[in-house]
Amino acid sequence: MTVNGTTRLCGLIGNPICHTMSPLIHNHLKEKLGINTIYTPFLVEKENLKTAVEGAHALNILGMNVTVPYKSSVIPFLEEIDPMADGIGAVNTLVRTQQGYKGYNTDMTGLCRAMQAEGIRLDGEEIIILGAGGAARAVAYMCLFYKASKIYLLNRTLSKANEVAQELNLKFERQAIFPLGLDEYGNIPVKKYLVIQATSIGLHPHQKQCVIHDSAFYELAHTGYDLIYNPEITQFMKKIEGAGGVSYNGLGMLLFQAVDAFELWNEVEVSDEVAMETYEVLKNEIKKV
Ligand code: NDP
């Protein structure tokens, strides 16, 4: 598509940003939908974050994604924040309004949409989450937001799992999260759970690593969802499948966080067909990394 007088700009702010797959997804989507925008990464230094957000608005930039390390620190510079993003305390998508930007967390709406596409439900579910870092905390919030009944949150550093559990149990006004150490899964009642892998263990180039080695743990899973998408099949996923469960990687989450942002910026709906086609483009590109 040719750049002309009506082309709008979208972008990504973060540091570092050179490995991002977002331009690939967004530029593919706009070509498919015939939308006159361009998506480009912006490397922003910490001390320039406020100026970058204000400058983007002054330049009539339509929307921005926000990545590490600014997902929380950008919040004070926003005009408005969506309730789920506010509860999570992190945004990854800024949508232009008259006065400034409104922040959303499409990482989590995207994860939810990716799960729904696979027929995975959260409502009334008992879930095991591995990890208590930024992603795990957001996933726990999202699961409770969509009415999961109970969460066992397992982390190497138990104090961090305790902190997340205390904070979210208070926020949702019920004892929904039960914190445990990584080696305490024997305390979880024996039945089948959705297990979400939200630690950084197993990420390329450390793909031989796995957060829990004992095969007995994986007997607890009917479904395993790894937030990691590189490698395509992680050790966690292999162990889930080995114990008879179904497993997914985090590529769907990556895709749908972008699709949700794209829809918010352009006020369009991306069809399942276009989403799946974009997924294939993304999958092929990641294989080259
Ligand atoms: P954080 O650094 O905030 O958290 C890391 C987590 O991994 C902590 O729970 C940490 O435990 C655990 N961990 C790290 N090293 C070890 C180890 N050696 N043994 C046991 N546990 C360990 O990272 P994030 O929460 O931001 O990200 C987590 C993962 O989610 C990453 O792999 C990231 O790629 C993925 N992700 C995927 C997305 C997608 O679009 N698919 C989007 C966002 C994230 P401890 O507290 O004890 O240190």
Side-chain angles (χ1 to χ4, degrees):
M1 190 168 286
T2 350
V3 176
N4 58 24
T6 58
T7 304
R8 299 292 301 272
L9 187 61
C10 295
L12 165 72
I13 54 178
N15 190 358
I17 41 163
C18 53
H19 298 297
T20 179
M21 290 287 166
S22 292
L24 178 85
I25 308 174
H26 283 279
N27 289 323
H28 182 81
L29 287 174
K30 66 113 186 189
E31 288 294 337
K32 292 307 293 183
L33 278 89
I35 289 175
N36 191 3
T37 54
I38 289 183
Y39 185 100
T40 187
F42 296 103
L43 178 69
V44 173
E45 299 298 337
K46 192 168 80 183
E47 60 276 17
N48 294 332
L49 184 58
K50 180 172 188 275
T51 317
V53 174
E54 288 172 356
H57 195 263
L59 288 170
N60 198 26
I61 288 180
L62 181 61
M64 302 285 273
N65 279 138
V66 181
T67 189
V68 176
Y70 302 133
K71 289 186 184 185
S72 297
S73 53
V74 76
I75 292 174
F77 312 127
L78 303 180
E79 183 64 20
E80 225 181 307
I81 186 161
D82 166 77
M84 184 157 81
D86 190 27
I88 291 168
V91 305
N92 74 314
T93 297
L94 310 187
V95 177
R96 189 183 178 80
T97 69
Q98 196 73 28
Q99 306 299 328
Y101 287 101
K102 178 171 178 181
Y104 292 83
N105 192 309
T106 69
D107 281 333
M108 287 308 120
T109 56
L111 173 61
C112 185
R113 195 162 160 186
M115 286 180 164
Q116 274 172 353
E118 303 295 353
I120 301 170
R121 39 174 307 161
L122 299 172
D123 186 357
E125 276 291 305
E126 297 197 12
I127 298 169
I128 298 174
I129 297 177
L130 303 177
R137 191 186 157 283
V139 169
Y141 186 97
M142 188 271 286
C143 290
L144 294 183
F145 190 87
Y146 290 114
K147 304 204 167 18
S149 69
K150 198 181 270 186
I151 294 172
Y152 296 95
L153 188 80
L154 278 60
N155 197 43
R156 174 180 62 176
T157 312
L158 180 58
S159 59
K160 282 203 211 162
N162 284 334
E163 260 173 52
V164 173
Q166 201 175 12
E167 185 204 336
L168 296 190
N169 284 339
L170 203 66
K171 241 176 200 159
F172 284 87
E173 298 176 344
R174 63 189 176 99
Q175 278 303 112
I177 304 190
F178 299 85
L180 292 167
L182 270 186
D183 53 359
E184 292 181 311
Y185 50 84
N187 296 342
I188 300 174
V190 176
K191 51 177 141 166
K192 296 288 186 184
Y193 299 85
L194 164 64
V195 182
I196 303 175
Q197 199 303 108
T199 77
S200 42
I201 301 296
L203 190 60
H204 174 81
H206 305 291
Q207 56 261 50
K208 294 229 163 73
Q209 297 179 358
C210 192
V211 62
I212 294 178
H213 292 280
D214 186 0
S215 305
F217 167 72
Y218 297 88
E219 300 287 338
L220 292 169
H222 59 73
T223 306
Y225 204 103
D226 201 332
L227 298 198
I228 291 173
Y229 52 80
N230 187 12
E232 191 179 348
I233 302 172
T234 63
Q235 289 297 327
F236 168 82
M237 290 166 67
K238 284 182 191 162
K239 283 180 176 285
I240 292 277
E241 300 267 342
V246 184
S247 73
Y248 302 92
N249 68 23
L251 200 61
M253 174 183 178
L254 179 68
L255 170 76
F256 281 111
Q257 63 75 27
V259 169
D260 278 1
F262 188 89
E263 290 183 342
L264 284 166
W265 294 333
N266 298 300
E267 296 176 343
V268 291
E269 220 171 275
V270 174
S271 67
D272 290 348
E273 194 190 346
V274 170
M276 281 310 113
E277 196 190 298
T278 314
Y279 182 87
E280 290 304 318
V281 171
L282 190 56
K283 199 163 99 178
N284 289 333
E285 196 59 32
I286 282 168
K287 279 189 187 144
K288 296 181 198 161
V289 178

